[in-house]
Amino acid sequence: MERSFAPSLLAIALLFAAILSGRAHEHHGDSSCEMDPNVRVLAEYRQGVVTVDGHVDDWDGVDGSEFELRPALDPDEDKKYQGGKLTVKAIHDGSNIYFALQVDGEYAYTKGESKQCPSVALMFQIGENASYDSMGGCADLPGSCTSQSCQGHGVDIMHFSMGTAIPGRLYGGNIIDNTAGNGGDRFGHLVDIYAWNPHCRYLDGIGPDVNYTNALNDWHGAWWHSSLMLHSGYIEENSPYATQGQKGTYYFEFSRPLRTMDRFQQDAQFTIGQVSKLAVAFWYPTGGQPWSKSQHYSGSCNWIPLDVALPSQASLSHSNNSSWDAATAFSLLLSVVAFCISVFIGYWVSKRKEVPFMPIEMTSVR
Ligand SMILES: *[C@@H]1O[C@H](CO)[C@@H](O)[C@H](O)[C@H]1NC(C)=O
Ligand SMILES: *[C@@H]1O[C@H](CO)[C@@H](O)[C@H](O)[C@H]1NC(C)=O
Ligand SMILES: *[C@@H]1O[C@H](CO)[C@@H](O)[C@H](O)[C@H]1NC(C)=O
């Protein structure tokens, strides 16, 4: 009686856990320049669900947060990006963190001209005093900022400027630039940067006072647009890959280890169960006009909290459950095998009863 109850109780408990975790993940936010305190990006724990290839169908089960894109330097409502909101999704798998960015926009791609292609950047707080405004907000002028004078103002930036990047291909950290010991990417311009303010901005490993030769570009990423048709893989000769001006959606996918080997405060470090600070930027060649570096849209006008979540109770009880099931099935199988063996041995021993015991030395080959 009690045994038959147990599965339905378990099912009800799981359902509740699923509803609760579902609630907790309803965090689609609107961002005005009085930032809604509920706006955040949740990086749930999910293992083995996304492939970093620019295709975001594998993110379908992950809830995202939406951000209105306004000019970063003049966050005026009527100057916002006309294409629509930017959706940001994040997950982590215990060792890497993954981001998916999605924004509607007509297809724009000019080979070799990054400023005539869309571009995205992620910025994270490193130093506890690094402000969202002015990329860390160190007051030092260019030429005088140093790691000492700007201590506590470091921000970590990933910038993907895709003029030479083939859609669907992976860019970022590569053996040549990582051997050179900096955060560059000579192939796709998906670079790993740090800054103390907009004028004191450097590739990881390169600095105003000293160049370290052991920094890395820890990011990887890819881009895609919904008007691209060839799924088997593009090569450079296919450029511009699709017809300019086609309506559709841009997709960007990125990954990075939660922790990096940086020792110079040039990378943000993520900790499972803790909150980091994030900002998102987007450049678009409106009307075919190239964008300038400072001419970008931002998803917020302050840091956005990024929760690097612990595995949820629902996913724990699920994995506990399935491992219990597997263990039970396996032990059942083992006991059946053991039973069969013991029956066989009993039969074999009884058949060989008449054979007398002989010391092993005495058995001889006939
Ligand atoms: C941040 O600013 C506070 C107050 O000015 C200061 O006490 C603290 O040392 C600073 N932190 C760093 C890492 O520089
Ligand atoms: C560091 O490297 C950059 C770029 O390669 C160079 O311009 C700069 O002079 C170097 N600085 C030092 C201090 O060696
Ligand atoms: C099973 O669940 C318990 C607590 O509910 C947790 O401590 C444990 O790590 C889980 N085991 C696995 C394999 O997920």
Side-chain angles (χ1 to χ4, degrees), residues 99 122-137 150-158 193-196 219 256 258-259 262 265-271 274-280 302-306 308:
F99 294 91
L122 299 174
M123 180 168 86
F124 302 90
Q125 188 186 50
I126 305 175
E128 59 177 313
N129 293 338
S131 57
Y132 160 84
D133 282 316
S134 305
M135 280 188 186
C150 288
Q151 197 174 8
H153 290 282
V155 296
D156 183 12
I157 298 169
M158 182 285 313
I193 315 174
Y194 71 101
W196 298 303
W219 286 94
R256 208 207 78 172
L258 291 168
R259 313 295 287 192
D262 164 51
Q265 292 281 75
Q266 298 176 350
D267 283 339
Q269 303 296 339
F270 304 108
T271 305
Q274 289 189 10
V275 180
S276 293
K277 290 180 176 171
L278 161 76
V280 192
N302 208 335
W303 291 117
I304 304 161
L306 167 68
V308 184

Side-chain angles (χ1 to χ4, degrees), residues 313 316 319-320 323:
Q313 218 50 49
L316 273 184
S319 67
N320 264 351
S323 60

Side-chain angles (χ1 to χ4, degrees), residues 206 209-211:
I206 291 174
D209 35 5
V210 60
N211 285 344

Side-chain angles (χ1 to χ4, degrees), residues 59-280:
W59 287 82
D60 278 354
V62 179
D63 286 331
S65 304
E66 287 188 335
F67 300 94
E68 195 166 74
L69 290 163
R70 299 192 190 184
L73 300 182
D74 178 17
D76 206 347
E77 164 84 62
D78 38 276
K79 291 187 188 137
K80 70 181 181 194
Y81 174 67
Q82 293 303 311
K85 288 184 177 176
L86 173 77
T87 303
V88 180
K89 295 182 177 186
I91 60 165
H92 76 90
D93 64 5
S95 51
N96 290 290
I97 188 160
Y98 301 84
F99 294 91
L101 274 54
Q102 180 174 332
V103 62
D104 289 348
E106 288 170 8
Y107 189 70
Y109 186 89
T110 308
K111 188 178 162 186
E113 300 291 338
S114 284
K115 291 177 180 172
Q116 301 208 39
C117 307
S119 177
V120 290
L122 299 174
M123 180 168 86
F124 302 90
Q125 188 186 50
I126 305 175
E128 59 177 313
N129 293 338
S131 57
Y132 160 84
D133 282 316
S134 305
M135 280 188 186
C138 177
D140 285 9
L141 296 170
S144 66
C145 43
T146 65
S147 52
Q148 288 301 312
S149 68
C150 288
Q151 197 174 8
H153 290 282
V155 296
D156 183 12
I157 298 169
M158 182 285 313
H159 189 184
F160 189 21
S161 208
M162 63 194 215
T164 56
I166 301 166
R169 301 250 175 240
L170 201 63
Y171 293 95
N174 63 79
I175 194 163
I176 297 177
D177 293 294
N178 282 346
T179 303
N182 63 58
D185 171 20
R186 67 193 65 193
F187 301 104
H189 203 81
L190 195 164
V191 294
D192 196 344
I193 315 174
Y194 71 101
W196 298 303
N197 66 40
H199 310 288
C200 302
R201 200 157 35 93
Y202 309 93
L203 284 176
D204 280 18
I206 291 174
D209 35 5
V210 60
N211 285 344
Y212 306 101
T213 51
N214 55 353
L216 293 174
N217 181 343
D218 295 287
W219 286 94
H220 285 114
W223 72 274
W224 194 258
H225 187 265
S226 58
S227 69
L228 296 164
M229 301 311 288
L230 186 66
H231 280 240
S232 58
Y234 285 105
I235 55 170
E236 209 175 328
E237 283 67 34
N238 302 132
S239 166
Y241 315 108
T243 314
Q244 302 282 355
Q246 280 198 77
K247 284 206 185 321
T249 307
Y250 273 100
Y251 305 110
F252 303 90
E253 236 177 331
F254 303 104
S255 71
R256 208 207 78 172
L258 291 168
R259 313 295 287 192
T260 72
M261 294 178 77
D262 164 51
R263 279 170 285 135
F264 311 108
Q265 292 281 75
Q266 298 176 350
D267 283 339
Q269 303 296 339
F270 304 108
T271 305
I272 297 167
Q274 289 189 10
V275 180
S276 293
K277 290 180 176 171
L278 161 76
V280 192

